[in-house]
């Protein structure tokens, strides 16, 4: 007997039906905003990450050498791939480019609740607009997707910031700082003790006093305080941009879900502007549900024309945890409308009825295992069939079939020629 | 600039929309038969293939050692994975088990038309029935999926055989034969010259005369000739089973697409009974479009209870070639119903209208890039918007917006309060 690999999941039909229903809502919401689906490869050259990304993600790559000697990796996220695709057809694509896709990604991480080594995300990105409306549309889409799943403002919040606020405040220290390291420290701060957090900031180049002061200022989250402290154009511009995004989000219906949180930094180095993370409002799901933000420099660093970009990628594992906790996860049940039961040598007629019912769009099963009446009825029950059509030899001699309602147990004989006839969805009620 | 890896494809929105429409038809057809969707991992232990499968597939594995020292592989096909899943929950699953899924697979092969290293398949399997009706339901589903895409019997045919016909005929030779090698030779015979084909048969243990005789008998495809030649219970049973499957396929509406073809063998070693391949009737797509068959021994060899099984896996690359050639490939066009155009400071009202239209299920875009009237109208045209709603400052002062039909160019002013109002899909016609 073979086992599946740790961190990789099998989805049996009940759970898969719930996942599919969830993905459908998320994708339909994206289509409603005019995002277009794309398809992307599972493997890329490893350099797409080793050249540009933070160390964390590089350490977690499923990378290897293929038979042609290429250094390749299972993709740990989508952003470098969509950036590569934009660069490849930049002239031909009308802007703004609005894309979405749902697919698995892979990272060799510690397996824990809500985090597998194979995980599904729906990525949604806009390329070609630096306007605050683009950031706000990403937030509005994310809010609509979550409310479309039945969640409300009681269940989730978007914590939002701007990379240049942290960057600008750090810049205002007149010392030789490793800014990326300091930002990564802020990003991790909710998982660290105060001592650990301050130590990381000191490691990045702040003094102990500066580290304490900086941590307090950021935790305070007051935009005016931050502007006054930094007294720099960079921070003033960032605060203004953040406020503009929030104003657009107000128009787009997403402002009510947003909280300013300057500790929100996002771990990936390529973010440049507004960044945000979605959290469980109750704190029961302690990690962020998903995150996103602006990455205006990535396309150019991949060799393309300068192209602003903003995106988000809800993960379906954490999303399902949030939905389950909120009591809005779809019921895990298979649904079959008709089971056509054969008694004796009635396959030809049973097959005709099955095909007719399927042609009007119904889910229809019939016996493919040569089973008894009782075994078939049992199976029909196990697949939650609503109506069983019993096609028996004796009934057929009288040109009849029996319609059985599986909820009430009632049954009735009807002329075989009139079933299903022109009826869209015939039930016992149509014949009583 | 980074390149994608050879044999891996990017799908931009136009092409992706056509693929999605095709996958939707194929999956909806499976749902109609009561097949349930499952989700499966991209990585498995390499032993799932190295222990059981033919050499060809093992040579093509994208296998590597993961960070935990596991010998893993990108899955080259789904069958061992679903077999593993059946074994893991065999007692809990009600039989027959009917599963489907659409996802990519990976093989390090020569890249050519219709064959990439990453390729998508929809796998459809039935576990737990050895009856001919199960084989026939797989054929019927495949036929319905293809006709659902607009294809007809003029475009495709199913070439069908039974593994025990070849096996039994080979057994009737009183020599020490490598049966698997001989079957693989038959499977490849249409790609080989007669000399190469006979040489492979001789390599498997036949004499030159026997090889010629065997090749003629199989090419003839006459079931009575084959039965008479072999004169064995095994071949007689196989012929009877094949005929029973074809009779059930007649009832299920798929017989008309089936041709008996004893050269159809399927390369994979795990097949045990009926096997079939789908071909382009015109021969323009020379390789098989897809194949399938019965694999009754696999579950037991994976440590499960003996469980008969039959399945098929249409590949979407070859399927799209077939559809394109037949002129039934969906049009590659993005579709947007409404573009809400902002002139001046009208974002709040434009956003309100966009949200109202989206709530009734429409695809709606509005400006997120701060563009001029002309640039917005140009973009609306590029995304094939049917109706443009122009929200201008002056119109708004009169409590009006302008509705523009993008096909005729006609436009009309309507009260802003009545748009979209209660209308399901308001167009210019509703206001003229």
């Amino acid at each position: 007997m073979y086992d599946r690999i740790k961190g990789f999941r099998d989805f049996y039909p009940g759970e898969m039906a719930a996942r599919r229903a969830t993905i459908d809502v998320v994708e339909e919401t994206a289509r409603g905003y005019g995002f277009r689906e794309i398809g992307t490869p599972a493997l890329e050259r490893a350099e797409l990450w080793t050249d540009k990304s933070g160390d964390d993600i590089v350490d977690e790559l499923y990378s290897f050498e293929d038979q042609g000697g290429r250094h390749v990796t299972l993709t740990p996220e989508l952003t470098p791939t969509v950036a590569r695709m934009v660069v490849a057809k930049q002239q031909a694509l009308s802007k703004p480019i609005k894309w979405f896709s749902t697919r698995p990604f892979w990272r060799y991480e510690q397996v824990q609740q809500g985090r597998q080594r194979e995980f599904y995300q729906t990525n949604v990105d806009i390329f070609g607009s630096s306007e605050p409306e683009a950031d706000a549309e990403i937030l509005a889409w994310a809010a609509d997707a979550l409310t479309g799943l039945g969640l409300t403002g009681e269940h989730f919040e978007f914590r939002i910031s701007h990379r240049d606020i942290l960057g600008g405040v750090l810049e205002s220290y007149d010392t030789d700082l490793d800014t990326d390291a300091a930002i990564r420290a802020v990003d991790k701060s909710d998982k660290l003790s105060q001592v650990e957090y301050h130590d990381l900031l000191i490691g990045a180049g702040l003094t102990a006093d500066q580290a304490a002061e900086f941590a307090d200022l950021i935790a305070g989250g007051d935009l005016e305080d931050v502007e006054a402290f930094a007294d720099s154009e960079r921070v003033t511009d960032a605060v203004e941009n953040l406020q503009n995004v929030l104003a657009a989000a107000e128009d787009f219906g997403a402002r009510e879900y947003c909280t300013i949180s300057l500790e929100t930094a996002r771990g990936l180095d390529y973010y440049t502007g507004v960044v945000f993370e979605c959290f469980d409002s109750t704190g029961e799901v302690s990690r962020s549900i998903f995150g996103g933000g602006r990455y205006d420099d990535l396309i150019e660093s991949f060799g393309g024309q300068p192209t602003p970009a903003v995106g988000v990628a809800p993960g379906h594992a954490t999303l399902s945890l949030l939905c389950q906790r909120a009591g809005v996860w779809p019921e895990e049940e298979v649904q079959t409308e008709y089971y056509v039961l054969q008694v004796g040598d009635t396959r030809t007629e049973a097959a005709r009825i099955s095909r007719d019912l399927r042609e009007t769009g119904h889910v229809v099963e019939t016996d493919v295992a040569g089973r008894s009446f009782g075994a078939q009825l049992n199976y029909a029950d196990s697949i939650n069939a609503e109506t069983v059509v019993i096609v028996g030899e004796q009934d057929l001699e009288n040109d009849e079939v029996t319609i059985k309602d599986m909820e009430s147990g009632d049954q009735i004989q009807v002329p075989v020629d009139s079933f299903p006839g022109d009826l869209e969805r015939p039930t016992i009620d149509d014949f009583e």
Side-chain angles (χ1 to χ4, degrees), chain A:
Chain A
M1 183 162 161
Y2 298 95
D3 291 330
R4 64 172 186 273
I5 301 170
K6 185 177 176 185
F8 288 73
R9 297 236 13 227
D10 298 326
F11 293 95
Y12 287 84
E15 191 176 0
M16 189 66 210
R19 280 169 60 83
R20 177 58 59 203
T22 303
I23 292 171
D24 283 350
V25 167
V26 169
E27 293 193 335
E28 272 314 298
T29 309
R31 288 182 207 278
Y33 277 85
F35 291 95
R36 317 292 172 181
E37 187 175 10
I38 57 166
T40 55
L43 280 189
E44 293 272 10
R45 292 182 187 280
E47 296 86 64
L48 263 73
W49 286 270
T50 55
D51 287 356
K52 313 270 174 200
S53 303
D55 290 341
D56 287 359
I57 208 167
V58 170
D59 290 343
E60 294 166 358
L61 291 179
Y62 278 91
S63 61
F64 59 100
E65 192 168 297
D66 79 5
Q67 293 188 36
R70 299 171 191 88
H71 186 45
V72 299
T73 185
L74 284 171
T75 51
E77 49 145 358
L78 193 65
T79 306
T81 295
V82 288
R84 178 182 61 65
M85 285 176 66
V86 167
V87 171
K89 299 223 173 176
Q90 193 150 18
Q91 298 310 318
L93 295 164
S94 80
K95 317 284 178 314
I97 300 160
K98 297 170 64 173
W99 285 349
F100 82 90
S101 62
T102 304
R103 42 155 294 189
F105 298 94
W106 302 272
R107 294 184 194 182
Y108 197 88
E109 291 191 278
Q110 272 316 110
V111 176
Q112 51 186 272
Q113 192 202 33
R115 186 185 293 183
Q116 298 283 322
R117 291 176 178 165
E118 178 174 68
F119 56 97
Y120 281 74
Q121 289 182 346
T122 299
N123 280 261
V124 173
D125 293 278
I126 301 176
F127 300 91
S129 170
S130 57
E131 297 298 314
E133 284 82 1
D135 307 66
E137 182 160 280
I138 291 290
L139 290 165
W141 167 74
D144 277 3
L146 297 183
T147 56
L149 291 169
L151 297 163
T152 72
E154 288 179 29
H155 301 121
F156 69 90
E157 65 176 8
F158 297 150
R159 297 188 193 158
I160 184 165
S161 185
H162 191 295
R163 266 281 179 112
D164 278 345
I165 295 178
L166 281 179
V169 168
L170 288 165
E171 206 175 49
S172 71
Y173 289 99
D174 202 18
T175 50
D176 190 21
L177 271 181
D178 180 345
T179 309
D180 285 344
I183 290 175
R184 278 197 298 271
V186 175
D187 187 48
K188 288 180 189 159
S189 60
D190 62 340
K191 295 170 203 148
L192 302 173
S193 71
Q194 197 187 61
V195 172
E196 289 169 327
Y197 177 29
H198 289 194
D199 279 354
L200 283 179
L201 293 172
I202 292 163
L206 291 178
T207 68
D209 285 349
Q210 288 170 333
E213 174 194 51
F214 172 77
D216 278 354
L217 180 72
I218 298 305
D222 187 295
L223 292 180
E224 287 179 17
D225 286 354
V226 166
E227 246 188 288
F229 178 88
D231 190 25
S232 75
E233 199 177 341
R234 184 176 175 198
V235 172
T236 302
D237 288 351
V239 167
E240 186 187 349
N241 180 251
L242 177 55
Q243 284 166 333
N244 287 340
V245 168
L246 290 170
E250 175 75 39
D251 281 346
F252 294 175
R255 177 65 183 90
E256 62 183 296
Y257 307 108
C258 298
T259 307
I260 294 168
S261 165
L262 303 182
E263 286 171 309
T264 298
R266 305 292 299 143
L268 294 166
D269 289 348
Y270 51 64
Y271 286 109
T272 56
V274 161
V275 287
F276 64 93
E277 293 188 331
C278 175
F279 277 87
D280 178 350
S281 303
T282 68
E284 286 186 46
V285 182
S286 60
R287 298 170 46 223
S288 79
I289 307 294
F290 57 81
R294 187 165 274 285
Y295 50 101
D296 284 348
D297 298 339
L298 193 66
I299 301 289
E300 191 175 5
S301 80
F302 271 43
Q305 295 298 313
T307 304
V310 58
V312 62
H316 289 279
T318 47
L319 204 52
S320 76
L321 284 180
L322 182 63
C323 289
Q324 283 160 18
R325 224 197 28 69
V328 300
W329 186 240
E331 276 188 40
E332 299 184 4
E333 204 166 78
V334 296
Q335 289 185 332
T336 292
E337 287 149 351
Y338 295 94
Y339 184 85
V340 182
L341 194 155
Q342 301 166 42
V343 191
D345 183 15
T346 63
R347 188 180 69 198
T348 305
E349 198 58 37
R352 194 270 306 162
I353 291 170
S354 301
R355 291 164 65 194
D356 285 354
L357 287 167
R358 274 188 206 115
E359 267 174 27
T360 46
H362 298 301
V363 177
V364 185
E365 291 195 60
T366 187
D367 185 39
V368 294
R371 293 194 292 189
S372 69
F373 178 91
Q376 287 184 66
L377 206 60
N378 202 17
Y379 177 73
D381 186 52
S382 79
I383 58 173
N384 301 304
E386 291 166 27
T387 298
V388 172
V389 184
I390 303 168
V391 188
E393 283 183 351
Q394 271 187 308
D395 272 0
L396 277 190
E397 278 173 23
N398 303 324
D399 293 323
E400 291 183 327
V401 292
T402 299
I403 313 301
K404 188 178 185 70
D405 183 273
M406 289 296 278
E407 183 155 351
S408 67
D410 294 345
Q411 60 182 53
I412 196 170
Q413 282 161 316
V414 306
V416 64
D417 289 344
S418 67
F419 193 88
D422 297 331
L423 295 166
E424 276 288 302
R425 180 160 179 163
T427 68
I428 195 165
D429 299 337
D430 293 305
F431 298 98
E432 272 174 344

